[in-house]
């Protein structure tokens, strides 16, 4: 039932946090927005680029991935939301990833970063032109980070 995940009230709300934070920090829309929040949620979930987010815990766990992300990471929704985001990075790249997360945390967002990521079955991908941004709820409280990218290639 992953294909209907975007209809859940908590996902509709989280979609607004993703979209509002992106707009606030980057001064542009991530997707063309609608007056209808359900449509926004559906459109982001079905976008032809990857969108992922994790919570603000010390060892962040994914709490959102659109269909493109689930396909790339080779996971279903339940697997994704139990996965520490560090687990999609090769161990050798984790220090670099941590530095990028900290930089985004300080600046609010970063663009044009990249790196090697690993799916749940061990497939390796070079992802490029990543935008990483901080997430804030409607009260302005920091609640995690998100990433989007549309360029990746499978590595042998």
């Amino acid at each position: 039932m992953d294909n209907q995940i975007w209809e859940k009230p908590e996902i509709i709300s989280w979609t607004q946090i993703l979209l509002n934070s992106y707009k606030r920090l980057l001064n542009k829309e991530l997707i063309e927005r609608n007056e209808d929040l359900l449509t926004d949620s559906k459109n982001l979930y079905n976008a032809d680029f990857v969108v992922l987010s994790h919570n603000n815990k010390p060892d962040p766990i994914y709490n959102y991935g659109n269909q493109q992300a689930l396909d790339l990471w080779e996971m279903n929704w339940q697997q994704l939301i139990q996965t520490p985001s560090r687990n999609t990075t090769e161990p050798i790249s984790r220090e670099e990833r941590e530095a990028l997360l900290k930089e985004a945390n300080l600046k609010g967002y970063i663009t044009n970063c990249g790196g090697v990521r690993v799916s749940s079955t061990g497939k390796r991908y070079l992802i490029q032109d990543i935008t990483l941004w901080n997430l804030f709820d409607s009260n302005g409280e920091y609640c995690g980070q998100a990433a989007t990218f549309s360029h990746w290639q499978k590595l042998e």
Side-chain angles (χ1 to χ4, degrees):
M1 193 129 227
D2 284 355
N3 61 342
Q4 302 300 313
I5 199 75
W6 49 267
E7 292 180 327
K8 294 185 175 188
E10 66 271 19
I11 301 305
I12 293 169
S13 294
W14 190 255
T15 296
Q16 291 305 304
I17 288 172
L18 290 165
L19 297 175
N20 292 340
S21 296
Y22 188 92
K23 170 74 172 159
R24 189 176 133 238
L25 291 166
L26 284 94
N27 203 29
K28 62 182 179 180
E29 297 289 357
L30 181 58
I31 61 170
E32 186 176 327
R33 307 255 321 245
N34 230 297
E35 292 296 316
D36 179 45
L37 303 183
L38 179 62
T39 300
D40 285 347
S41 185
K42 180 180 180 181
N43 289 344
L44 186 63
Y45 187 80
N46 292 308
D48 63 355
F49 51 88
V50 171
V51 179
L52 289 154
S53 67
H54 62 217
N55 60 25
N56 60 355
K57 305 287 186 221
D59 188 12
I61 305 289
Y62 284 121
N63 58 7
Y64 181 87
N66 67 356
Q67 188 62 57
Q68 198 69 256
L70 295 173
D71 292 347
L72 188 63
W73 280 186
E74 298 181 288
M75 295 182 189
N76 64 37
W77 182 265
Q78 285 306 312
Q79 290 169 312
L80 181 78
I81 63 171
Q82 297 172 34
T83 301
S85 58
R86 67 177 157 73
N87 286 2
T88 57
T89 305
E90 293 182 315
I92 198 162
S93 302
R94 288 183 183 159
E95 192 173 302
E96 175 185 328
R97 176 189 162 276
E98 192 61 32
L100 290 172
L101 294 176
K102 285 181 182 174
E103 181 181 353
N105 207 351
L106 290 172
K107 295 180 177 178
Y109 72 94
I110 55 174
T111 58
N112 299 318
C113 54
V116 176
R117 298 298 182 266
V118 183
S119 77
S120 67
T121 65
K123 290 180 185 156
R124 297 170 64 241
Y125 296 91
L126 175 63
I127 58 176
Q128 300 171 297
D129 298 327
I130 303 167
T131 298
L132 179 65
W133 72 101
N134 291 336
L135 300 173
F136 299 93
D137 65 19
S138 59
N139 297 320
E141 296 293 320
Y142 174 75
C143 57
Q145 290 181 314
T148 187
F149 57 92
S150 56
H151 298 94
W152 63 88
Q153 71 182 71
K154 187 176 175 189
L155 301 173
E156 297 302 320

